[in-house]
Amino acid sequence: MDLTPTQRSLDLTGRLLEFMREFVYPAEAVYARQRRDGDPHGLPAVVADLQGEARARGLWNLFLRDERWGAGLTNVEYAPLAEISGRSPVIAPEAMNCSAPDTGNMELLAEFGTPEQQQRWLRPLLAAQIRSCFCMTEPDVASSDPTRLATTIRRDAGDLVVSGRKWWSTGTADPRCALAIVVGVSDPDAAPHQRQSLVLVPLEAPGVEVVRDLSTFGYSEQHGHGEVRFADVRVPAASLLGAPGGGFAMAQARLGPGRVHHCMRALGMAERALALMVQRATERAPFGRPLAEQGPVGTWIAESRLEIDQARLLVLRAAWLMDTAGNRGARTEIAGIKVVAARTAARVIDRAIQVFGAAGLSPDTPLALFYAMARQLRIVDGPDEVHLRSIARHELSAQGLNDQARPPATAAAIRGETLMAPAN
């Protein structure tokens, strides 16, 4: 496993760190003020300014591996950049046009879109002229089991008709949100994982209703998390994305790189929380001594450093496997990092809040928002329990590594495993 940074990655890392220091961190207070005083779901002017600066510095669309459309970085090359952007997770990713759900949607359009679909939707997304949402989760079914989705996509002459309810569709409150990629059942009689298709639905299409915006732990995000109703929404048959019945596979392909992005941004939040904890522990001196010398605070700092570094290595290993063996070959590792990174971030942020005391609960630091974001990561893209079940099934499988779509020698090398001969 080679995690040596490439020169390209090192160059981009240096530029991004400078961009964060000179522009992003100073913009955080401005962003909060502009949201408070203006349209809470509109694009704050400061973010538009940051986008111009990011473009000028070559920090644009870095997430996209397809060199026709993006930077062409590998997962290992992009991972540290995602982590750095996670230190200011509300502003930095969007400033570089690297924020979810647009990233995953652009990847889908780049890989599976027709030239016409790419012209209409992908190019404006790449230019940050519009935003998009991904409509999969539903209020009436357990969305941890996507084979049970109730939204339907039926053919009617030359059209597709979409009917159903979705929620937690991130992006729908933003007035720039123009496209919904909807997951629905197109063939209820097919095998469970071939029933679903993806369809491109303009958010302005007749029959689309954004019912409400959902807050998270009381935080209302700028892009919003919408509950959306599709009441016999009619779109041309050419709006189908990819092959009929390929929705489940495409959605899973979308989630692979996205989980690396989420996990590394979570570790970026954890790194900033640790830095704030250290600063507070050395500057605050109740009872005549710095907090760092009192109680368990020093232990919290040490444990946080160890946990972040461990989680980072696990994510980088998953990223390397994706680069060398493909998303399917890394599926167990992808499930693992989804659990570990969010839990690690939440623990470190929680410790930092405790060191700050009441100030850690306030908007005077980013810690309360970070905690809410880290906690929601244990549910979005699938709850922990689903990923743990996948990992357990892999470990319990009689086939072991042979179930994995990766070179056996590579798998054995990175896991340090010896395949034992069966007992007589």
Side-chain angles (χ1 to χ4, degrees):
M1 181 171 58
D2 185 3
L3 301 179
T4 305
T6 64
Q7 188 56 49
R8 176 171 58 169
S9 181
L10 288 172
D11 177 59
L12 287 169
T13 297
R15 279 189 267 164
L16 180 53
L17 287 170
E18 184 180 71
F19 176 62
M20 298 286 289
R21 183 174 57 252
E22 294 183 8
F23 294 93
V24 174
Y25 298 134
E28 290 177 338
V30 180
Y31 174 88
R33 184 172 64 251
Q34 289 180 350
R35 277 202 68 200
R36 184 179 61 248
D37 297 341
D39 179 356
H41 294 299
L43 179 69
V46 69
V47 178
D49 294 340
L50 289 173
Q51 288 179 333
E53 188 66 34
R55 282 177 182 259
R57 291 169 175 253
L59 301 171
W60 193 254
N61 292 332
L62 298 178
F63 71 95
L64 201 51
R65 292 191 64 184
D66 191 328
E67 292 183 348
R68 296 175 301 164
W69 308 106
L73 299 175
T74 66
N75 287 297
V76 170
E77 286 178 314
Y78 179 64
L81 304 173
E83 179 182 338
I84 293 168
S85 73
R87 299 175 190 176
S88 185
V90 175
I91 297 178
E94 183 167 14
M96 302 186 296
N97 208 34
C98 293
S99 60
D102 286 339
T103 47
N105 293 345
M106 285 188 269
E107 286 169 335
L108 283 176
L109 287 163
E111 185 170 355
F112 302 106
T114 65
E116 293 75 16
Q117 291 169 346
Q118 291 171 344
Q119 180 64 31
R120 181 176 181 184
W121 300 117
L122 178 57
R123 291 187 182 278
L125 284 167
L126 289 168
Q129 296 168 346
I130 62 171
R131 283 191 64 91
S132 61
C133 60
F134 189 76
C135 298
M136 183 171 72
T137 304
E138 298 183 356
D140 297 326
V141 299
S143 295
S144 56
D145 180 5
T147 64
R148 300 178 64 85
L149 294 177
T151 297
T152 61
I153 303 170
R154 60 180 176 86
R155 282 192 174 271
D156 183 17
D159 292 336
L160 299 173
V161 181
V162 182
S163 301
R165 291 174 62 211
K166 300 288 186 179
W167 70 343
W168 298 105
S169 298
T170 301
T172 49
D174 193 314
R176 296 170 297 155
C177 188
L179 169 67
I181 300 183
V182 183
V183 188
V185 176
S186 56
D187 184 358
D189 298 323
H193 295 95
Q194 281 80 51
R195 294 172 185 166
Q196 307 84 7
S197 295
L198 301 185
V199 63
L200 306 174
V201 178
L203 218 60
E204 63 182 9
V208 178
E209 178 190 5
V210 180
V211 178
R212 58 173 173 154
D213 178 41
L214 298 159
S215 62
T216 308
F217 287 107
Y219 287 99
S220 180
E221 296 187 13
Q222 186 240 311
H223 305 299
H225 303 292
E227 179 181 343
V228 189
R229 181 178 292 115
F230 298 89
D232 292 332
V233 178
R234 190 174 289 269
V235 295
S239 300
L240 185 72
L241 181 62
F248 183 86
M250 286 189 287
Q252 291 302 305
R254 175 186 184 275
L255 290 174
R259 284 179 178 145
V260 171
H261 305 171
H262 278 317
C263 291
M264 292 303 285
R265 284 194 293 263
L267 296 180
M269 290 192 295
E271 279 286 1
R272 189 168 178 192
L274 176 55
L276 289 169
M277 183 175 10
V278 169
Q279 181 180 3
R280 181 76 165 187
T282 53
E283 294 178 352
R284 200 76 159 182
F287 310 109
R289 287 188 302 146
L291 280 171
E293 299 175 8
Q294 299 189 41
V297 175
T299 299
W300 292 347
I301 291 170
E303 288 179 340
S304 297
R305 167 50 57 213
L306 295 176
E307 291 170 6
I308 292 171
D309 288 351
Q310 288 170 335
R312 179 185 295 111
L313 286 171
L314 197 64
V315 178
L316 288 174
R317 185 179 76 169
W320 178 79
L321 265 177
M322 291 167 65
D323 289 337
T324 56
N327 293 0
R328 180 172 175 78
R331 66 185 185 272
T332 302
E333 284 74 14
I334 292 171
I337 64 174
K338 172 66 170 56
V339 176
V340 169
R343 289 183 175 183
T344 297
R347 279 195 301 270
V348 173
I349 296 164
D350 182 73
R351 293 174 188 136
I353 289 173
Q354 199 68 17
V355 171
F356 271 82
L361 307 175
S362 77
D364 291 352
T365 78
L367 295 173
L369 174 60
F370 282 8
Y371 188 83
M373 296 177 73
R375 183 61 185 85
Q376 76 176 12
L377 281 176
R378 295 184 58 198
I379 296 175
V380 301
D381 288 351
D384 286 3
E385 292 73 19
V386 171
H387 300 299
L388 290 169
R389 184 180 64 175
S390 298
I391 296 166
R393 283 178 172 174
H394 168 72
E395 293 298 325
L396 292 167
S397 170
Q399 297 298 315
L401 292 175
N402 293 332
D403 280 345
Q404 300 292 315
R406 61 168 89 141
T410 301
I414 67 159
R415 291 182 63 107
E417 293 179 305
T418 301
L419 301 180
M420 298 177 63
N424 293 330

